[in-house]
Amino acid sequence: MPDESSVPCKFYGAYCFDLSPTYNAWIKLTAADVHALQEREGFEWRNSESRREGQTASVYFYLNHPIQWVCLVGVVVAFDVYEHRFIMLLDDSSGANIEVTCGRPQEQNADTKLDAPSTKTIRNAMMGKTTQGNTVDLTGVDVGSVIKIKGSIGTFRGTRQIQLERLWIVRTTNEEASAWSKTATFRRKVLSIPWVLADQEERRAKRKAEGYEAKRKAREEHNRKKAVLDEEARRRAAKRAKLQRLPGEKEQGLAGDHNDGQKPRTRQKPALNPDRERRRRRDVKA
């Protein structure tokens, strides 16, 4: 890969990545190219809208080309099967080898312990699971097989790996030579030339990204206010329902509280004083 210092290039913000010819594509590289890709601060674990929610991918750079998906062709020189993982070592004659990893479903462990496994059991035992949750068939892959793989880039103990997503077995020498020719052509016509974006396109991409961010914040603020208003409406409705109870129900409820469920007593008039009543009548006649 050309040195960045020898080839002047401008690094654009992440809001411009979707305009790059390499960001959302399977980039044809060699194992040596993958090991030579550069990382830049701030782009180690950028979320990609092209992937399913919750999935993330590292972004690497060839010059200033952002890359997250790669495609390689090579010979399998080692194939190890572990309890939870398949690991292949790929040699593409670029001067470096690279590991290709794939998950192994848990239910395969019991199947492989059968004394006389069926053809279906053997086939299921070679089914891998990708980081996207898809299955990939590894049946027929062995040391010496020429394969074409696609995947994302990962790192394990400081060493680059390919996290397998798709796999094909290359059957003929012509297919292998054609794949290497396409890799060389793509490097010469695309990767070796710095990615240049017009100022107008960059400003448009930035405005678009800012618009998305503003809409996201406005949506969150709207949802917050709506939740507050709904809570206030619920409280008002509960208070109004309490005040709209009938007066008789109120008195009955209060009486029940004070008399333990018994019928409320009727208030009697006080007895009249006879002497006071006679004086009152005499005053009236006078």
Side-chain angles (χ1 to χ4, degrees):
M1 185 177 72
D3 188 5
E4 295 179 6
S5 59
S6 61
V7 181
C9 53
K10 175 182 178 180
F11 285 88
Y12 299 97
Y15 52 82
C16 296
F17 284 177
D18 288 331
L19 301 177
S20 167
T22 61
Y23 184 64
N24 291 316
W26 299 106
I27 305 305
K28 301 175 177 64
L29 295 177
T30 65
D33 291 334
V34 174
H35 288 296
L37 291 176
Q38 301 296 318
E39 295 184 75
R40 293 186 66 85
E41 185 177 358
F43 299 108
E44 294 86 352
W45 292 100
R46 167 175 158 75
N47 287 332
S48 172
E49 296 179 358
S50 62
R51 306 185 76 171
R52 298 187 308 181
E53 185 178 357
Q55 299 289 341
T56 56
S58 291
V59 178
Y60 298 86
F61 293 88
Y62 190 107
L63 292 183
N64 65 338
H65 294 282
I67 294 174
Q68 59 177 344
W69 307 101
V70 296
C71 174
L72 290 85
V73 176
V75 181
V76 178
V77 296
F79 190 2
D80 298 321
V81 180
Y82 296 95
E83 184 178 0
H84 304 292
R85 188 164 298 276
F86 296 101
I87 299 180
M88 296 173 284
L89 187 63
L90 196 68
D91 183 4
D92 61 355
S93 302
S94 63
N97 299 336
I98 192 165
E99 287 186 346
V100 181
T101 67
C102 182
R104 188 181 181 206
Q106 295 292 328
E107 57 271 15
Q108 293 184 6
N109 299 331
D111 294 339
T112 55
K113 294 179 181 179
L114 297 177
D115 294 335
S118 63
T119 304
K120 182 178 179 181
T121 301
I122 295 175
R123 182 178 180 85
N124 290 340
M126 296 303 294
M127 297 297 292
K129 187 175 182 179
T130 70
T131 56
Q132 296 292 297
N134 302 320
T135 57
V136 57
D137 189 2
L138 302 178
T139 305
V141 178
D142 203 346
V143 175
S145 301
V146 180
I147 60 174
K148 176 182 178 181
I149 61 102
K150 293 182 177 180
S152 58
I153 305 172
T155 303
F156 179 72
R157 294 180 179 176
T159 303
R160 296 274 171 82
Q161 291 180 331
I162 302 299
Q163 297 171 345
L164 184 64
E165 295 293 337
R166 302 177 188 177
L167 181 145
W168 298 266
I169 296 178
V170 179
R171 301 294 181 180
T172 65
T173 306
N174 290 337
E175 291 182 45
E176 184 180 4
S178 174
W180 287 344
S181 176
K182 291 179 181 179
T183 299
T185 302
F186 186 80
R187 182 190 299 109
R188 183 178 67 256
K189 292 185 176 181
V190 179
L191 295 178
S192 297
I193 303 174
W195 173 39
V196 178
L197 199 61
D199 294 340
Q200 183 178 1
E201 292 179 316
E202 184 179 3
R203 290 194 297 268
R204 187 184 302 117
K206 186 174 182 179
R207 287 197 300 269
K208 183 178 179 180
E210 291 174 347
Y212 285 153
E213 183 67 15
K215 289 181 181 179
R216 183 187 66 80
K217 292 182 178 180
R219 185 165 56 252
E220 291 179 354
E221 181 66 16
H222 171 74
N223 293 336
R224 186 189 66 80
K225 291 182 178 180
K226 184 176 182 298
V228 173
L229 293 176
D230 291 343
E231 179 64 19
E232 292 179 354
R234 186 189 66 81
R235 292 179 179 179
R236 286 196 299 268
K239 185 177 181 180
R240 188 163 49 250
K242 184 177 180 180
L243 294 176
Q244 287 177 350
R245 289 191 307 173
L246 296 176
E249 295 179 355
K250 288 185 179 180
E251 294 176 0
Q252 184 177 1
L254 294 174
D257 294 339
H258 292 290
N259 298 299
D260 298 327
Q262 299 178 1
K263 185 177 180 180
R265 298 177 181 179
T266 303
R267 186 176 179 181
Q268 298 179 354
K269 295 182 178 180
L272 298 178
N273 190 330
D275 296 336
R276 183 181 298 176
E277 181 66 15
R278 283 195 295 271
R279 285 196 300 271
R280 185 183 68 80
R281 291 178 181 179
R282 188 171 54 251
D283 293 341
V284 170
K285 289 180 180 181

